[in-house]
Amino acid sequence: MRVKTKLLPNSTFGWFGLGICITGVSFRFGREIPGFYLYLFCFSILSVSILFIFPPFFPKKWETNLQSFMIATLVFVLFANTNHVSEKRQTRTWFRSLLVDTCKHSHLSPLEQRIVIGLVTGSTSEIPRDFKEIAKESGILHLFAASGLHLGIFIGSLQFLGNLIFSKQRWISILLSLGFGWYYLYLLNFPVSFVRAYSFAFFTLVSSLLYRKIAVSDLLIISSAAITFFLFSDFLSIGFLLSFGAVFGIFYLKPSLDQMIFPHSKSLLKENLTLTLVCSLCSFPILVTYFHSFSYGGIWINYLLVPLAGILLPCIYITLFLQTILPVRLEVVLSDWIWTPVAYLLSLFLRIFQFLSESGRGYRIWEKESYLLVWFSLFLILILWFIYRWDFHKIKFFRWILPSLLVSFFPLGYFFPKKESLPVIFQKGKGYFTIAIEDRLFLYGTCSPYKRFELPNTNKEIQTILFESESCLQTVLRLKKKQNLPNIVWFDQNNSPFQKSMFMDGIQIQTSERLGQEIKKEFSLFRFDGNPKGIPSLLRSLKETEQKKIRETWKGFLILDFPLWKKKEAKEWIAYQKLLGISNAWKILIVEDQFEIPLLHDLTNPNLL
């Protein structure tokens, strides 16, 4: 029997959870306002007083719901730890050491051992960097990050075994699976996706134990409220949004697609198809908004690999358990036999993954002009829920047009045209920033070996990388090999002893000019770091360059890359451009302004990986 999926909660406790969530959202965005806490506290006291002291203004049912809502607001203001600091969730040290020692007894290769540890701990730091990069571009990084998939498979496996052993005492199976699930959650140090998955499992299993059915809206809202109240720093984080976005699609959009795509089919292939589509659709606006990237090939890669991961993970759990309880005398004899199923499935998983990732990852990166795709994806999400909620899916027109729109959205989004902008301010990190102009990428500053970036998808494919710091050699050589770039130019002003070896690797060395200072037909680019001693030579170079311009369409760009404490001074350059003697032919850009972070990004933890 189909259950209507309403957005508002069905129970009084659900309204209490909604009050926690709404208050958490308002506090998240309003905490920087002076006196906001006092305003919120006074509003809560006033609302509770009106609802409980004065005669009811609403029907009894709504009155009870609103009372729960306002009590939750007051409880959050008084007792929630809104100063909770987000920490990187790291697996308990002794548990990780135990996994490493256990895997050493297997005949798996070092790479396979690291992947096994990454799958069990849900930590992307366990897998090699190159493998992690390919997994990200293939859209399956969630398999190696702490996600609800891991805990769902873990508790599901325990439930299956428990029901076989305690067939007549099902409550024992439920309590054991919840207990071990909580311990698994503790071992991984409570990552937000695991907390969400455990909340779902807890409320669903407990309600079934009490012969009750919990509405999906209550399940989502109460779980969100638990994270908001106890783990406030993780509320509205990337992990939170991706996790809840995926389950929102499963609860609210998948039934709609099931009724429109092969409505009479109950096959696993069809179920996996609709599941993959709704999860991809609901994660699309979040990934594009935060990372300006999306793996279109990840849709079909997930379609094929997630079911295999659902078989591989239980096999790994069982093997680790057997290896742990195995007597020392039998380790040499039985270890190879115990790990054989895992070795076979993991080898099959990696071979299929390698083939699929090489066949087409479909990884796209945009600049900030891609918000049209975000709004269209949100429109599809809303219309899919609306049509199912009001039974419009029974109309033949909607049964044809909506699946067609959804299926065509992804390939059309892949070829979405980009606005031509010159220059394209693409990436920024600690100590560096990049600018893409035409088919050239300028890399300014120093590079970290732990921070990777990719080439932007511009109208003209990047053919040349120009950089100035020796610390970027590893990054540039990796991009040269990966993208088969024909031209690499190193502006080395310090006469590095590595010039000869770099020249042998096909890197051009430029010592007579600084990066970006050469004159081109289309543009010229200058960077100034705010050093007062360099102002006279900078102004002189600007005038000389402008006099030598070749075309009328030539554009000049002055990039001000001042330290943070000189940011206000940098803005004064724009206000007093003519006073400084800089003509309007030069467009002044400030690095910090180009990478200004919106409020949502600043207040949440964007560290997904």
Side-chain angles (χ1 to χ4, degrees):
M1 183 179 67
R2 184 169 63 89
V3 180
K4 294 287 187 178
T5 50
K6 298 188 296 184
L7 291 178
L8 291 177
N10 282 7
S11 64
T12 303
F13 190 61
W15 279 93
F16 183 88
L18 182 63
I20 295 290
C21 295
I22 297 298
T23 311
V25 171
S26 61
F27 200 85
R28 171 69 74 184
F29 293 102
R31 63 191 303 179
E32 301 300 326
I33 301 174
F36 180 79
Y37 182 87
L38 179 61
Y39 296 146
L40 191 60
F41 176 75
C42 294
F43 173 77
S44 303
I45 293 291
L46 181 61
S47 301
V48 171
S49 301
I50 292 175
L51 287 174
F52 281 92
I53 297 175
F54 291 93
F57 297 97
F58 305 97
K60 185 176 180 180
K61 180 181 178 181
W62 280 98
E63 190 77 17
T64 304
N65 292 337
L66 289 175
Q67 288 175 356
S68 300
F69 183 93
M70 296 315 304
I71 290 174
T73 301
L74 186 60
V75 168
F76 182 88
V77 172
L78 292 176
F79 301 108
N81 182 16
T82 54
N83 294 321
H84 177 261
V85 178
S86 178
E87 300 176 354
K88 186 177 181 180
R89 302 289 192 251
Q90 294 183 342
T91 308
R92 307 289 174 182
T93 305
W94 68 267
F95 178 62
R96 183 186 178 279
S97 301
L98 178 64
L99 288 177
V100 173
D101 292 339
T102 305
C103 288
K104 286 180 179 178
H105 292 91
S106 68
H107 56 279
L108 301 177
S109 67
L111 172 62
E112 291 174 335
Q113 291 181 26
R114 294 182 64 178
I115 291 176
V116 167
I117 297 172
L119 284 171
V120 174
T121 61
S123 175
T124 56
S125 61
E126 300 290 348
I127 59 179
R129 191 183 306 165
D130 292 336
F131 185 87
K132 173 181 172 181
E133 182 179 357
I134 297 175
K136 181 186 72 173
E137 295 182 0
S138 302
I140 65 163
L141 195 62
H142 62 94
L143 296 178
F144 304 95
S147 67
L149 176 67
H150 296 71
L151 191 64
I153 292 175
F154 181 77
I155 292 182
S157 302
L158 290 176
Q159 272 289 99
F160 177 76
L161 294 175
N163 290 336
L164 291 177
I165 300 173
F166 307 101
S167 58
K168 296 183 179 180
Q169 291 85 20
R170 199 167 62 91
W171 62 273
I172 299 179
S173 172
I174 291 176
L175 293 180
L176 286 176
S177 59
L178 289 178
F180 281 110
W182 173 263
Y183 190 61
Y184 191 21
L185 191 65
Y186 165 79
L187 292 176
L188 301 191
N189 201 13
F190 302 97
V192 63
S193 295
F194 266 47
V195 175
R196 188 272 306 162
Y198 186 81
S199 300
F200 278 22
F202 178 83
F203 290 117
T204 302
L205 292 176
V206 170
S207 62
S208 67
L209 191 62
L210 300 175
Y211 301 99
R212 297 288 188 271
K213 181 177 287 186
I214 184 170
V216 295
S217 57
D218 288 343
L219 195 59
L220 280 168
I221 291 170
I222 295 172
S223 301
S224 302
I227 295 173
T228 307
F229 193 86
F230 296 104
L231 300 171
F232 183 70
S233 61
D234 291 319
F235 180 57
L236 295 184
S237 65
I238 292 291
F240 177 93
L241 294 175
L242 286 174
S243 181
F244 278 88
V247 295
F248 176 87
I250 294 171
F251 287 154
Y252 287 92
L253 305 187
K254 188 178 182 300
S256 180
L257 281 185
D258 287 337
Q259 295 294 326
M260 289 184 286
I261 299 179
F262 308 118
H264 303 295
S265 173
K266 300 294 183 181
S267 67
L268 293 177
L269 295 177
K270 180 237 180 169
E271 291 293 321
N272 190 25
L273 174 64
T274 55
L275 181 68
T276 305
L277 285 176
V278 295
C279 289
S280 300
L281 178 63
C282 290
S283 64
F284 181 89
I286 303 169
L287 294 173
V288 174
T289 301
Y290 276 86
F291 302 110
H292 310 297
S293 63
F294 186 77
S295 174
Y296 287 93
I299 299 174
W300 70 295
I301 295 176
N302 274 283
Y303 178 78
L304 296 174
L305 285 185
V306 169
L308 183 56
I311 301 173
L312 175 62
L313 274 170
C315 188
I316 292 176
Y317 293 141
I318 295 172
T319 303
L320 289 173
F321 174 73
L322 294 176
Q323 180 70 46
T324 303
I325 65 173
L326 194 66
V328 179
R329 295 180 180 180
L330 297 178
E331 282 187 359
V332 180
V333 180
L334 298 180
S335 288
D336 289 347
W337 291 94
I338 291 176
W339 283 94
T340 297
V342 172
Y344 174 76
L345 290 174
L346 186 57
S347 176
L348 180 63
F349 179 89
L350 292 177
R351 286 181 179 275
I352 295 176
F353 170 64
Q354 181 181 6
F355 171 76
L356 296 178
S357 61
E358 291 177 354
S359 300
R361 295 195 283 264
Y363 187 65
R364 293 281 288 171
I365 303 175
W366 301 275
E367 286 78 38
K368 296 181 180 179
E369 292 85 359
S370 58
Y371 283 119
L372 178 62
L373 290 175
V374 174
W375 286 111
F376 190 74
S377 64
L378 292 174
F379 168 75
L380 280 178
I381 292 171
L382 179 63
I383 201 69
L384 276 173
W385 169 79
F386 180 82
I387 284 178
Y388 180 70
R389 180 69 180 86
W390 302 104
D391 289 329
F392 288 141
H393 64 276
K394 297 179 180 178
I395 302 175
K396 188 175 182 180
F397 171 77
F398 290 111
R399 287 206 308 268
W400 284 97
I401 193 66
L402 272 180
S404 301
L405 272 178
L406 179 60
V407 173
S408 61
F409 166 72
F410 292 106
L412 290 177
Y414 179 79
F415 296 104
F416 181 71
K418 297 177 59 61
K419 294 182 180 179
E420 184 174 0
S421 57
L422 188 64
V424 177
I425 305 292
F426 180 60
Q427 294 180 93
K428 177 179 181 290
K430 185 176 181 181
Y432 80 92
F433 72 94
T434 65
I435 298 176
I437 302 180
E438 296 292 334
D439 61 347
R440 299 155 66 86
L441 180 72
F442 295 83
L443 173 55
Y444 286 102
T446 58
C447 300
S448 169
Y450 304 105
K451 177 67 177 179
R452 291 199 168 198
F453 61 86
E454 297 301 325
L455 297 181
N457 288 317
T458 54
N459 288 338
K460 293 184 178 180
E461 187 176 354
I462 297 296
Q463 298 293 324
T464 305
I465 295 182
L466 306 97
F467 67 104
E468 62 179 358
S469 175
E470 190 174 326
S471 63
C472 297
L473 286 173
Q474 181 180 358
T475 299
V476 171
L477 289 175
R478 178 181 63 84
L479 292 174
K480 181 179 185 296
K481 180 180 179 181
K482 180 178 179 180
Q483 304 293 340
N484 195 23
L485 298 175
N487 302 313
I488 302 294
V489 183
W490 181 16
F491 284 78
D492 180 20
Q493 302 296 315
N494 300 320
N495 294 320
S496 172
F498 297 102
Q499 283 189 2
K500 291 184 178 180
S501 60
M502 292 300 105
F503 183 77
M504 296 295 293
D505 289 333
I507 296 180
Q508 305 172 35
I509 310 296
Q510 177 64 261
T511 58
S512 60
E513 297 174 342
R514 290 189 300 175
L515 176 59
Q517 194 165 322
E518 71 274 22
I519 302 173
K520 297 294 180 182
K521 296 180 180 180
E522 298 84 6
F523 64 89
S524 291
L525 177 67
F526 281 81
R527 176 203 182 211
F528 183 55
D529 60 2
N531 186 359
K533 296 181 180 180
I535 293 179
S537 62
L538 171 68
L539 296 178
R540 184 170 56 253
S541 298
L542 293 178
K543 290 182 180 179
E544 293 176 356
T545 302
E546 187 178 351
Q547 292 173 358
K548 296 177 181 179
K549 65 180 182 181
I550 301 175
R551 292 182 179 178
E552 291 297 327
T553 57
W554 170 90
K555 295 181 180 181
F557 298 97
L558 174 59
I559 311 296
L560 302 181
D561 187 20
F562 289 12
L564 293 177
W565 56 87
K566 292 187 177 182
K567 185 176 178 182
K568 292 184 179 179
E569 182 183 344
K571 290 186 176 180
E572 292 177 359
W573 280 64
I574 297 177
Y576 302 108
Q577 181 174 349
K578 290 185 178 180
L579 199 61
L580 290 168
I582 304 174
S583 70
N584 292 331
W586 292 92
K587 182 176 181 180
I588 300 179
L589 298 173
I590 301 175
V591 171
E592 293 299 322
D593 287 351
Q594 299 298 322
F595 295 98
E596 186 175 356
I597 302 175
L599 180 63
L600 180 64
H601 294 222
D602 183 52
L603 295 178
T604 57
N605 178 19
N607 185 16
L608 176 64
L609 307 182

